[in-house]
Amino acid sequence: SDLQRILFPLFLLAGGALYALLTPEFGFNLATLALVLGLAIAVAVTTIGFAIPTFAFFGARYRDRGQILVMPGSVIIGAVFVGLSRLLHFQPGYLYGLLAVFVFHHEIDKDSAGRLAAVSSLTVLALAILAWFAQVPVAGFTMGDHVSFWGVLLEAALCGAFIIGLESTLVGLLPLRFLDGSRIRQWSRLAWGLLFAFALFALIEVLFQPGSGYVGHTTRSGKITVGILYIAFALFSVVFWAYFRFRPARLQEGLEEEGEYGVR
């Protein structure tokens, strides 16, 4: 719809701004603008990366172009977590909730859905790894006294595509009913295990290493705050899961009334 075409670029910019707000260097200057735009590109790369195999499949088989469905409420959830991170000086900050899904007129069997989900996850993982290698030579342009606007934008886009892509894939591979991990696991436990193991290995090997900046070093006095944040996040996650697990299937019924869309 026309509304969704307007909402999607706004969703990308909001995502870029929220991710940029997690950095202590955020300010009203050109460097921050470059950071926001670069991270918005990273959100776009990850979102579209997940969609490429699905669009190709539905387009070739059914000539079904589908449409994107932005969840504005997910931006509000993300803003709450970013606000808490800034308020409590939690580094690195935390962003949770950004969500945009793709809907199509046709439904497919569980095996096809599992294969598509696996290919989508593999596509985003490949894009993330490519972005990681590409950012190595780019990093030199953001060091020194003469940092260029385009250098910051490009490095933010590449680093963001790696981190957001890897995180999104790993979370999506969790074997929960409403995530791709469940579809892949139903189709092939081996494929799911290999994908999850590879994503987890990349996360630990690259992001959990000392000096990566991904894992913060909390002082003794801040450990209680960190503990409270993790407990709050765990409770929120359980409530979030329970809502979708036990509520009536009103969303699917509404989609069927509007045109029998299947969510992917």
Side-chain angles (χ1 to χ4, degrees):
S1 67
D2 292 336
L3 177 60
Q4 291 297 324
R5 292 191 183 97
I6 296 172
L7 285 178
F8 185 57
L10 293 177
F11 167 81
L12 297 179
L13 286 173
L18 289 174
Y19 275 108
L21 274 166
L22 293 175
T23 63
E25 295 81 13
F26 186 92
F28 297 96
N29 49 55
L30 282 178
T32 297
L33 177 61
L35 185 63
V36 169
L37 294 177
L39 291 171
I41 293 172
V43 175
V45 168
T46 302
T47 305
I48 295 171
F50 275 115
I52 288 173
T54 309
F55 273 114
F57 176 85
F58 279 93
R61 176 166 293 191
Y62 303 110
R63 297 187 181 278
D64 184 354
R65 298 178 61 186
Q67 70 177 59
I68 189 166
L69 185 62
V70 175
M71 305 295 187
S74 67
V75 177
I76 298 175
I77 294 173
V80 169
F81 278 95
V82 171
L84 286 173
S85 297
R86 297 284 296 191
L87 180 65
L88 299 174
H89 305 287
F90 187 53
Q91 290 296 327
Y94 195 81
L95 175 57
Y96 179 89
L98 291 180
L99 180 64
V101 298
F102 296 87
V103 292
F104 298 87
H105 286 93
H106 300 82
E107 292 194 16
I108 54 179
D109 60 87
K110 291 183 178 180
D111 284 348
S112 296
R115 283 193 292 269
L116 269 179
V119 174
S120 295
S121 297
L122 190 60
T123 300
V124 176
L125 277 175
L127 289 172
I129 298 301
L130 286 174
W132 172 254
F133 283 109
Q135 64 86 32
V136 175
V138 173
F141 293 104
T142 59
M143 298 179 180
D145 298 328
H146 303 286
V147 179
S148 71
F149 175 89
W150 298 108
V152 173
L153 188 151
L154 184 57
E155 185 177 24
L158 292 172
C159 291
F162 174 72
I163 295 174
I164 297 170
L166 188 55
E167 287 180 340
S168 300
T169 302
L170 191 60
V171 172
L173 286 172
L174 293 173
L176 300 177
R177 190 182 67 168
F178 54 89
L179 296 177
D180 281 345
S182 176
R183 301 185 183 95
I184 299 171
R185 197 164 180 264
Q186 288 180 353
W187 165 61
S188 171
R189 289 176 178 267
L190 177 61
W192 173 80
L194 291 174
L195 281 170
F196 189 81
F198 180 74
L200 186 61
F201 171 80
L203 183 75
I204 294 173
E205 184 66 21
V206 178
L207 295 182
F208 281 9
Q209 295 300 313
S212 68
Y214 186 78
V215 180
H217 299 281
T218 306
T219 63
R220 185 182 299 274
S221 61
K223 289 182 179 179
I224 295 177
T225 301
V226 173
I228 292 173
L229 284 173
Y230 277 120
I231 292 171
F233 168 68
L235 290 174
F236 175 83
S237 298
V238 170
V239 172
F240 190 77
W241 167 82
Y243 172 76
F244 286 99
R245 175 64 180 84
F246 297 109
R247 72 169 184 163
R250 290 175 297 176
L251 176 59
Q252 184 63 31
E253 292 172 1
L255 289 173
E256 289 174 355
E257 291 173 0
E258 292 176 9
E260 298 184 354
Y261 278 86
V263 177
R264 275 288 304 124

